[in-house]
Amino acid sequence: MTVPTAVPAGRTAPAAPAAPATPTTSASPASPVVGRPGADLDELIRRDPGAHRVLTGDRPTGPLHLGHYFGTLQNRVRLQRLGIEMFVVVADYQVITDRDLADRLAEHSEGLVLDYLAAGLDPDRATIFAHSAVPALNQLLLPFLSLVSVAELGRNPTVKDEIAHSSQSAVNGLMFTYPVHQAADILFCKANVVPVGQDQLPHLEVARTVARRFNERYPHPDGSGVFPRPEALLSAAPLLLGTDGGKMSKSRGNAVRLSADADTTARLIRGAKTDTDRRITYDPAARPEVSSLVLLAALCQDRAPELVADEIGDGGAAALKRTVTEAVNEHFGPMRARRAELAADRSYIRQVLRDGAERANAVADATLAEVRAVMGSV
Ligand code: ATP
Ligand code: MG
């Protein structure tokens, strides 16, 4: 297996900002951006797709929503078309970070695969697997945990936010350690590009820290490090807001599913939080809810959000919501139809996961062997 060389250092994604997301560029909303404004990871990938490998994934806690699509899924499909090797993890062990039981795990895992394939991921080119099916990946968690202090685990802002929204009877240990588990997800296949939403930036920092500390503590005999330092790849919508004005999330009852029918989509968008100013503008800092809706329409129509806002002008929230509904239903209509077709053959979906697990296990076994060798294990 060829291992991609790490992208040059110094393109680190920033720590997650506390405020609602604003796109880090005023370029066309369809153009991807990286975590650090002005960084050129996207250009690097275009020039040399063979030097990059992607790992990305989702928790099987429910069907994917518009935030997933414009936050990461669209980027995954685009990267796949550029010819990058890609691994997509169905993060099943991470479901039980913020709840006591993993509800309908198989159904939700298969649902994620349906969403991926409907959106355009090709299982012959992308390795799609559940991480509970790849033991060597999970074993990396043990040495990795020794590289991170308890204080560092407790400081993670995304973990704090998830604790605030958790439905658990008591906060469990996995809640604090799952960012290190994510480092294992990313590093088992030596991925150096991770297309994610904004909430994942602190976790990417953990993965970068784990990679650096592991390489320093256990250098290869030839002086090289076992792991690359992965980079976050943000889209133009790193934090799409849900109907209540908070981050759109599968588990927070505020999401519009990719697979929702046209009427359900219209009803949910009609109920979305806005403000009382009739003039529609695109101003993410001052008007996060209205701007997130404007951005959503713009992304569906592949236009600049300012243009969409100008066109609606004094039409108020009702006109904005009509525009958004039409744009979403038009953009996702073909994808919904494709998903319904794929859903008719569940055995194919399960086969995709089995094939993916086989490929991921081969890669994870090789990485774990390397890790054990540099650690001096017998
Ligand atoms: P849950 O509520 O169960 O945590 P979620 O909606 O937060 O679900 P995840 O599976 O945790 O979804 O996230 C999967 C990927 O989608 C991550 O890269 C995350 O950053 C991205 N993502 C999730 N929600 C959004 C959003 N609202 N906007 C942009 N990206 C998002
Ligand atoms: Mg989440």
Side-chain angles (χ1 to χ4, degrees):
M1 185 187 74
T2 49
V3 172
T5 51
V7 284
R11 296 177 205 286
T12 322
T22 54
T24 49
T25 176
S26 59
S28 154
S31 64
V33 292
V34 289
R36 194 175 65 123
D40 56 359
L41 179 57
D42 203 59
E43 181 51 34
L44 270 174
I45 294 169
R46 273 180 208 287
R47 261 193 267 135
D48 192 0
H52 299 86
R53 181 176 296 154
V54 171
L55 177 288
T56 172
D58 309 277
R59 299 198 308 157
T61 46
L64 294 185
H65 53 66
L66 299 172
H68 292 116
Y69 185 78
F70 290 115
T72 95
L73 190 50
Q74 194 181 38
N75 255 346
R76 301 177 196 175
V77 176
R78 189 182 59 81
L79 290 168
Q80 178 187 262
R81 292 193 180 126
L82 286 175
I84 294 187
E85 192 177 4
M86 184 171 313
F87 291 77
V88 185
V89 59
V90 173
D92 52 359
Y93 274 145
Q94 285 163 20
V95 172
I96 44 175
T97 52
D98 63 355
R99 62 204 75 198
D100 293 338
L101 279 174
D103 183 36
R104 294 181 287 157
L105 200 51
E107 180 192 324
H108 287 323
S109 298
E110 288 167 25
L112 285 190
V113 180
L114 281 172
D115 283 328
Y116 298 153
L117 303 195
L121 284 185
D122 174 357
D124 290 334
R125 289 195 276 164
T127 298
I128 303 171
F129 66 98
H131 58 22
S132 66
V134 184
L137 179 162
N138 294 294
Q139 200 173 322
L140 291 176
L141 181 61
L142 295 174
F144 286 3
L145 275 174
S146 76
L147 300 167
V148 183
S149 73
V150 171
E152 283 170 320
L153 293 174
R155 274 201 295 270
N156 188 308
T158 296
V159 168
K160 285 184 184 164
D161 181 57
E162 285 170 353
I163 288 173
H165 287 91
S166 157
S167 68
Q168 260 174 343
S169 45
V171 179
N172 70 28
L174 189 59
M175 175 59 97
F176 287 96
T177 54
Y178 89 86
V180 184
H181 194 217
Q182 284 196 354
D185 293 344
I186 295 167
L187 297 175
F188 96 92
C189 63
K190 304 191 179 182
N192 52 7
V193 179
V194 190
V196 284
Q198 179 175 290
D199 59 314
Q200 294 296 312
L201 293 181
H203 302 346
L204 246 294
E205 273 313 304
V206 173
R208 292 169 58 80
T209 300
V210 164
R212 178 174 54 76
R213 289 182 186 163
F214 188 91
N215 291 345
E216 282 166 6
R217 197 167 294 184
Y218 306 108
H220 238 277
D222 68 5
S224 69
V226 171
F227 294 112
R229 291 189 73 190
E231 303 278 340
L233 181 67
L234 289 183
S235 75
L239 179 53
L240 200 74
L241 301 185
T243 51
D244 60 356
K247 171 191 169 301
M248 188 178 285
S249 291
K250 291 188 226 90
S251 315
R252 297 186 192 177
N254 65 358
V256 181
R257 301 170 172 193
L258 298 179
S259 52
D261 61 33
D263 289 346
T264 307
T265 301
R267 180 174 52 76
L268 292 172
I269 292 174
R270 249 196 323 274
K273 188 173 169 203
T274 50
D275 57 39
T276 51
D277 190 345
R278 276 201 71 77
R279 174 133 200 104
I280 299 304
T281 53
Y282 182 63
D283 183 354
R287 303 181 71 188
E289 297 93 356
V290 162
S291 300
S292 191
L293 285 169
V294 170
L295 180 62
L296 179 53
L299 289 163
C300 290
Q301 297 172 339
D302 197 12
R303 296 200 298 163
E306 292 83 359
L307 259 179
V308 173
D310 279 355
E311 225 168 72
I312 300 167
D314 289 324
L320 170 62
K321 289 175 180 179
R322 271 197 305 278
T323 301
V324 175
T325 301
E326 276 166 30
V328 169
N329 281 337
E330 189 167 327
H331 189 271
F332 289 99
M335 216 180 288
R336 292 170 186 156
R338 170 114 185 94
R339 191 186 196 276
E341 272 170 35
L342 287 161
D345 187 358
R346 290 281 171 161
S347 63
Y348 170 66
I349 300 299
R350 284 193 284 273
Q351 190 59 46
V352 166
L353 282 166
R354 274 196 296 275
D355 291 348
E358 198 181 320
R359 300 206 292 265
N361 268 305
V363 174
D365 288 347
T367 302
L368 182 62
E370 235 182 304
V371 162
R372 295 180 68 238
V374 293
M375 290 180 72
S377 302
V378 287

